[in-house]
Amino acid sequence: MTLTLVWFRQDLRLADNPALVAAARAGTVLPVYVHDPEAAGAWPPGGASRWWLHHSLASLAAALAERGLALTIRHGPALAALRTLARETGATAVRWNRRYEPALVEQDRRVKQALADDGLDIHSHKAALLHEPWTLRTGQGRAYQAFTPFWRALCRDGEPDRPLPEPAMHAPPSAPTGESLASLQLLPRVRWDEGLRAAWTPGEAGAHERLGAFLRNRLGHYADARDYPATAGTSALSPHLHFGEVSPRQVWHAVRERCAAGTGTEPLADSTGKYLSELGWREFAHHVLFHFPELPDNPLNRRFSAFPWREDPDGRLREAWQAGRTGFPLVDAGMRELWATGWMHNRVRMVAGSLLVKNLRLPWQLGERWFWDTLVDADLANNSLGWQWVAGSGADAAPYFRIFNPVRQGERFDPAGDYVTRWIPELAGLPARYRHAPWTAPADVLAEAGLTLGRDYPRPIVDLKTSRQQALEAFQRVKQGA
């Protein structure tokens, strides 16, 4: 009977796990996690991701223990750790599920070749995406750089495979010694994670609990509610998907089945289509990153390499944006939500990104790095594509002239200011009409609200009209190649 090492990474689940299923069919299973952050190159997990990883690994270890298996934890490098484990246990096969970040693709290539040279049976599997990034091509055989034709091609390719059930697993007679989860030192030494603990339940069970709640309570309203940050209108499954606690195939088919079981009304069907297209956007992000590995660091549109960014020598503008002290309530509420919970509503992400890149005119890479460290769903493909979309420099980018006005966005998508006052309680005394532009409130209204601008809440750090015009002029020069 074959003993197979199953190398867990960002597939921290037991159901719909192709590597685990294949190993269980072949014989006994030894689940392994190798902590090897250096393998990610310039993009090791940020602080919020490390917090999530700790708790997700704890959940996986507990689920395996209930089934009589132990999760063996070792420190990297991955190749050395896997070789040592194979030697210690007599394992003759190693299986894992593929990842698609550039540095990890290269690591997988090296590990696969070296272990095969050692005489081990090596297989990798598709588990993180609906379609492999190399399977969809334009009519000219090129990678897609626009979402709409990519989405059409994905839909033409047919329904994704059905999810695999959790396999029956058999443990080897004895498991090798491993490191403790605490030895990975993933949790912060200064405990800033209270808000994360209150907001999230990492792990496979938490993922399915959140998915079930979304299907029952929010899917039918998703098309209309998803843009309003004060309401729980989205699935908030992104961190669970990133860590592989639920697979995109599981989500896709669960949404399809919920729609089929519904009344057939137009709102549910419309919401289903819109939600599935968001899974498609995730696929698109990985497609672009796989084919354009420079995406996280350099503008895909090379003309933007010469963009005239503003100087911020003392970091005042950057720090105000990071701390949620820009004076624009919708942006500041989002940045404070991010710091407290490790997550931010997608529309607010776009508005906050636009303010940084286009009004403050600071490089998009600054925002990308901040989100990487503070988001629990920090995903290299999605984060990079999103920031280049906002900057206008990437695949399927927003036009250079699209500059979100944070006041108008707030008035449209948070009309009562409920989201703003949830995260900026110092503005709660203002009437709703002033909550997105408190500097426009008359002196007597500010006094009645007990609010002194510049003391209790900052004045805007930039003039929206002037900075918008300056950004348009800068983008026009880039467009013309000046």
Side-chain angles (χ1 to χ4, degrees), residues 190-210:
V190 178
R191 299 309 296 266
W192 45 259
D193 58 335
E194 180 179 353
L196 275 65
R197 285 186 277 116
W200 302 101
T201 305
E204 187 172 12
H208 284 277
E209 181 180 349
R210 189 172 289 273

Side-chain angles (χ1 to χ4, degrees), residues 338-479:
L338 172 62
W339 184 253
T341 70
W343 191 82
M344 189 195 303
H345 188 277
N346 187 59
R347 174 152 295 273
V348 185
R349 294 188 198 197
M350 292 189 293
V351 177
S354 179
L355 185 79
L356 179 76
V357 174
K358 295 181 176 176
N359 296 102
L360 301 182
R361 232 169 63 245
L362 297 179
W364 56 268
Q365 292 94 335
L366 292 178
E368 180 189 33
R369 281 287 178 182
W370 184 249
F371 275 23
W372 182 256
D373 194 46
T374 54
L375 283 170
V376 291
D377 63 357
D379 180 275
L380 192 62
N382 283 315
N383 195 39
S384 304
L385 188 71
W387 276 100
Q388 291 224 36
W389 183 90
V390 169
S393 62
D396 208 40
Y400 73 95
F401 51 79
R402 180 178 291 165
I403 301 175
F404 289 103
N405 184 306
V407 176
R408 291 175 186 165
Q409 289 284 308
E411 291 170 346
R412 180 178 178 185
F413 295 108
D414 185 34
D418 293 335
Y419 175 74
V420 158
T421 55
R422 182 184 307 162
W423 297 105
I424 312 177
E426 54 265 40
L427 300 181
L430 286 176
R433 62 181 294 194
Y434 298 118
R435 287 178 177 175
H436 292 289
W439 64 90
T440 65
D444 61 325
V445 174
L446 290 171
E448 186 174 349
L451 184 67
T452 299
L453 293 179
R455 184 193 69 186
D456 304 312
Y457 183 72
R459 297 182 182 276
I461 61 173
V462 69
D463 179 77
L464 290 177
K465 183 177 180 180
T466 301
S467 61
R468 181 180 188 276
Q469 185 58 40
Q470 291 171 342
L472 289 175
E473 291 171 358
F475 279 106
Q476 189 63 32
R477 292 199 299 274
V478 168
K479 183 182 178 185

Side-chain angles (χ1 to χ4, degrees), residues 269-342:
D270 187 44
S271 287
T272 296
K274 288 189 182 301
Y275 184 78
L276 293 181
S277 74
E278 292 300 318
L279 285 181
W281 181 263
R282 178 178 180 271
E283 296 279 313
F284 178 59
H286 283 276
H287 176 87
V288 174
L289 177 62
F290 181 82
H291 291 287
F292 303 96
E294 69 273 21
L295 182 73
D297 304 300
N298 300 304
L300 290 188
N301 184 336
R302 292 302 187 187
R303 290 182 297 180
F304 281 80
S305 298
F307 186 81
W309 299 111
R310 174 180 291 166
E311 296 292 330
D312 184 30
D314 59 359
R316 179 183 64 87
L317 297 176
R318 172 181 53 82
E319 290 173 1
W321 180 81
Q322 290 174 340
R325 299 285 295 174
T326 69
F328 298 104
L330 184 64
V331 172
D332 292 343
M335 300 305 291
R336 296 184 191 190
E337 178 187 29
L338 172 62
W339 184 253
T341 70

Side-chain angles (χ1 to χ4, degrees), residues 27-363:
T28 55
V29 176
L30 181 65
V32 176
Y33 178 78
V34 180
H35 188 56
D36 189 13
E38 291 79 11
W43 296 93
S49 291
R50 291 195 298 271
W51 176 89
W52 191 288
L53 176 60
H54 174 96
H55 293 288
S56 189
L57 286 171
S59 175
L60 176 66
L64 287 167
E66 290 176 0
R67 292 154 176 81
L69 289 89
L71 177 64
T72 299
I73 296 174
R74 291 286 175 93
H75 288 276
L79 176 58
L82 293 171
R83 273 178 161 160
T84 298
L85 280 167
R87 186 170 59 251
E88 290 176 357
T89 62
T92 57
V94 184
R95 293 184 180 268
W96 65 81
N97 296 310
R98 288 187 281 275
R99 294 179 63 180
Y100 304 94
E101 295 86 346
L104 297 175
V105 169
E106 177 58 23
Q107 181 201 45
D108 283 8
R109 186 193 64 77
R110 293 195 309 269
V111 169
K112 181 175 285 190
Q113 184 62 58
L115 294 181
D117 289 346
D118 291 347
L120 295 170
D121 180 26
I122 308 301
H123 289 281
S124 63
H125 303 262
K126 180 186 74 174
L129 298 175
L130 301 174
H131 296 270
E132 301 285 23
W134 52 85
T135 59
L136 298 177
R137 292 281 187 167
T138 68
Q140 294 75 39
R142 301 190 184 99
Y144 284 96
Q145 294 193 58
F147 173 69
T148 299
F150 173 85
W151 175 235
R152 290 177 184 148
L154 188 149
C155 292
R156 283 196 305 269
D157 211 42
E159 288 286 294
D161 296 337
R162 299 289 306 181
L164 299 167
E166 178 187 325
M169 295 172 286
H170 300 283
S174 61
T177 58
E179 307 292 337
S180 69
L181 180 56
S183 74
L184 306 187
Q185 298 182 342
L186 296 168
L187 295 177
R189 291 189 176 91
V190 178
R191 299 309 296 266
W192 45 259
D193 58 335
E194 180 179 353
L196 275 65
R197 285 186 277 116
W200 302 101
T201 305
E204 187 172 12
H208 284 277
E209 181 180 349
R210 189 172 289 273
L211 173 59
F214 173 66
L215 296 174
R216 290 190 303 272
N217 306 323
R218 298 196 292 277
L219 176 60
H221 309 287
Y222 177 79
D224 296 324
R226 62 178 182 159
D227 279 321
Y228 294 86
T231 63
T234 67
S235 70
L237 282 169
S238 50
H240 297 289
L241 281 163
H242 173 70
F243 284 93
E245 298 163 349
V246 65
S247 77
R249 294 193 300 201
Q250 289 174 307
V251 175
W252 179 286
H253 286 289
V255 168
R256 283 284 200 217
E257 290 165 8
R258 171 67 183 88
C259 185
T263 61
T265 58
E266 184 63 30
L268 181 55
D270 187 44
S271 287
T272 296
K274 288 189 182 301
Y275 184 78
L276 293 181
S277 74
E278 292 300 318
L279 285 181
W281 181 263
R282 178 178 180 271
E283 296 279 313
F284 178 59
H286 283 276
H287 176 87
V288 174
L289 177 62
F290 181 82
H291 291 287
F292 303 96
E294 69 273 21
L295 182 73
D297 304 300
N298 300 304
L300 290 188
N301 184 336
R302 292 302 187 187
R303 290 182 297 180
F304 281 80
S305 298
F307 186 81
W309 299 111
R310 174 180 291 166
E311 296 292 330
D312 184 30
D314 59 359
R316 179 183 64 87
L317 297 176
R318 172 181 53 82
E319 290 173 1
W321 180 81
Q322 290 174 340
R325 299 285 295 174
T326 69
F328 298 104
L330 184 64
V331 172
D332 292 343
M335 300 305 291
R336 296 184 191 190
E337 178 187 29
L338 172 62
W339 184 253
T341 70
W343 191 82
M344 189 195 303
H345 188 277
N346 187 59
R347 174 152 295 273
V348 185
R349 294 188 198 197
M350 292 189 293
V351 177
S354 179
L355 185 79
L356 179 76
V357 174
K358 295 181 176 176
N359 296 102
L360 301 182
R361 232 169 63 245
L362 297 179

